[in-house]
Amino acid sequence: MEVSCVKDGRAIHRRVLDYAHRDTDALYRDFHITEWGYRDEQVEESRARYGRNILSGRAADTVLFRLRRAFINPFAIILFVLASISFVTDVLLASNFSRNMTTVVIILCMLLISGVVRFTQEMRAKRVADHLTRMIESHIMVRRNGEWMRISSTELVVGDSVRLFAGDRVPADLRLTAASDLFVSQSVITGESAILEKNAGVLSERKARSYGEYSNVAFMGSSIIGGTGEGVVLAVGQDTVYGGCSGTMASFKNGFDQGAGSIAWVLIRFMAILIPIVFVACGLTKGNWLSAFLFALSVAVGLTPELLPMVINACLAKGSAAMGKKQTVVKNINAMQGFGSMDILCVDKTGTLTGDRLLLEYYMDVLGNESQKTLEFAYLNSIYHTGVRNHLDAAILACQEMPGHNARFQELAASHPKLDELPFDYERKFASVLVQGGEENLLIIKGGLDEVCRRCSHFEYKGKRSAMGADRVASVHAIVDEMLEDGMKVLAVAYKPLERQQLSAEEERDFILLGYLAFFDAPKRTAADAVRKLQELHVGIRVLTGDQKSVAVSICRRLGIGTAETLTGEELEQLSDDEAPIRIERATVFAELSPKQKVQILRTLQGNGHTVGFLGDGMNDLPAIVESDVGISVDTAADAVKEGADVILLKKDLNVLEEGIKEGRNAFANVSKYIKITASSNFGNILSIVVASVFLPFFPMASVQLLLLNLLYDMLCLVLPWDHVDQEICARPLEWSGRTLGRFMRFFGPISSVFDILTFSYLFFVLCPSVCGGTFAALAGSEEQFRFIALFQTGWFLESMWTQVLILHLLRTQKMPLFQSKPSCPVMLVTMLGILFFTILTFTPVGRLIGLTALPPAYFGFLVVAVSLYLLLVTLAKSWYLKKYHKLL
């Protein structure tokens, strides 16, 4: 693949570069594109030659990838190493008489079982994710077989002819062949908020220095802000600028990965200390360094919750599936963890706290009297504005349906054809449209009150024009402030005669203020109740809006959102680096913001230690949605916005978010149960092994037994996603990190070691000598010594399993287990059957194959007493732990 780098190492494919400098005739000729578009056979040929339009992240998520991940992981690799070494020592190097494949076969069976279970679980999670993703897949207009059709953007091939509309996300790198007032945001590639106008001309031979200078190319990932266009696909998938650099450009939701990394490092530190100690102790006391190495490897596996990825996937996938039933599509299942951790939710006001449909209540002149001319000029601006449609334009255009107005508005549009436009952007905060107006052309602007007024030098009242004074903005507010305080949204309309037929930004000054439009934006009936529920879940609501401060404050007061601390975009710009984190932390309402300022607020809140979600549906919300820890949008949003979100609400209701937060916390709590309980229990076992390795003349448990114990216990834990979670645990946001994991392991792990050592003593000094007829040393060289070892290892195998499974019930809740907090039926059933299965296993031929043997009834009497004492001690320790640290998981 030939590429050329423009800057920052981000490459533009050679095809795109070549055809940017050539006319469209050459493009159509070289790619054999006719007016019919591509035929089906051309599509297949192009896909085979140039590849599919899938980015690396999606391409990797295949059945083959999941199969490879199920069988190639640290746990599987260690099992394979043990099997290989066992094969060499027990088969290749052994004499014909002593060859034994048993250990090799058992380890390979464990490898197969763990891989199949993980693969099955991952495929189940993948089916859930794929089903939900298909519901919100982005589509594009493409010409094939002589007609325009909508297809999934992933089906595009090089040579396809596509159409672009406002709100679309550019699906591939395109050479534009037609453009009408086409304005594009390339912020996803460049990080800059500038809006660029694109055309279909030929690029000059002068080498472009930035992406913005490629005026006839639309890059994948860019957003169409206004206008329409057509183009030919020249690069797809990894060949695009966005695809080739997505690993470095994308704003990753890395809270999940950081938390997982934090947990991994805690376990690695414990292993780095304990594993060498086990290896050296076993090597010195047993004299067999190869066996010591194998045992140390098994201990490394024993300390690690091997099936952690599978348990996490199971918990998150269950949460995602539950959300799917509640009209919520979770595109990225890691977002379920974000829901669980989220302690601040930022929302855009319109359509979230207020209704989707605005009503135009008043159209007024500069003194507040009804003005038909203001409405008509606003109508011309809205009907010709090709940017992303919004609620305000929809409310204005709905006026043509008023009785007796339809014919007038049709006549108005016919007599004032459009000449040019500059679409709305969030820096200027207004839209400009140039129309023919009889003897002179008219430049009409409609937008934010203050922004439009600052561009005006005159005002018009009853057909007469007068100069505006220096206090023009204050004069305007004297007329409209009462409406703003009532929660109404007010826009200004202005115009100026213009001789030119093309529009430039320099013309946007010296306007004549014509009047105002006032819209009623009523709060949703369910909004106040939803805000209260979120606050009860300790999720702080922050309102981030582009509306006027007084409008935002009025709405928030009605909904019970605090308004004592507010910030406007202008005030935000004045804050120093030291002041900004403090003021942003305190404020609850942010008004008159640009998209860039919304991102600034999110980053500051994240820097203050918060997990931040953002709910929005407009193109102005896209940067904030991408930047947030959990980006949330709605099904009616533009494709570009839905593409950037992690979660799509099929019903725009904050009550759905409350359910999402609860499901996220449930999934999060069940993952935390598995990690903390398993890691602390394993840590206790390893401590016991360290002690036993020093004092025992044999290994306290065979490598294959230790691995089997760990594997089967982890498989029992796969039922945890279906466990009940106490309301107290889900009442607050949960922290996803290893910060408290080490403390939990150090506190509860050694308690199990005390009873392990008690079991060792009972087995070594009491049970085994009485059954075998002598001490270990006295039985040297006899068959009974092997029976002594088998009895000892079986005894500890069962004690470890009983304590590990039962401690799951004790530490899964802060309350009294079984009485104050009952586990779910699946958890109770599976764990009890697990204990029964493991106990019966020791009496079967399968158990004998791995060195286990039947134990006498006296042992089970000891086991019941020892386990009961252990559970009692852990209950007391849990009470003390809760008093000191105030939370368990």
Side-chain angles (χ1 to χ4, degrees), residues 133-151:
T133 302
R134 280 194 295 271
M135 294 171 66
I136 42 84
E137 199 169 47
S138 62
H139 291 74
I140 196 75
M141 290 293 293
V142 61
R143 183 167 56 189
R144 286 185 182 172
N145 301 312
E147 61 182 58
W148 288 98
M149 61 181 71
R150 271 189 99 69
I151 66 169

Side-chain angles (χ1 to χ4, degrees), residues 47 51-55 58 137-140 144 151-157 171 220 236 643:
R47 186 172 290 129
R52 299 177 64 86
N53 192 30
I54 300 176
L55 299 179
R58 294 181 182 176
E137 199 169 47
S138 62
H139 291 74
I140 196 75
R144 286 185 182 172
I151 66 169
S152 168
S153 58
T154 59
E155 296 299 314
L156 286 178
V157 299
M220 183 183 197
V236 294
E643 190 77 21

Side-chain angles (χ1 to χ4, degrees), residues 557-577:
R557 280 176 180 160
R558 296 185 214 178
L559 297 177
I561 298 173
T563 58
E565 293 275 355
T566 61
L567 275 176
T568 64
E570 187 175 346
E571 291 168 345
L572 191 63
E573 290 292 327
Q574 305 303 319
L575 296 179
S576 67
D577 291 342

Side-chain angles (χ1 to χ4, degrees), residues 165-178:
F165 301 93
D168 284 349
R169 177 180 177 273
V170 179
D173 285 356
L174 312 174
R175 165 65 162 91
L176 294 170
T177 56

Side-chain angles (χ1 to χ4, degrees), residues 34 132 260 277 288 316 320 422 454 484-485 512 569 626 754 846 851:
T34 68
L132 296 176
I277 295 174
N288 187 334
L316 299 183
S320 300
L422 286 177
R454 290 192 186 104
L484 294 173
E485 288 166 6
I512 303 160
V626 173
V754 171
V846 176

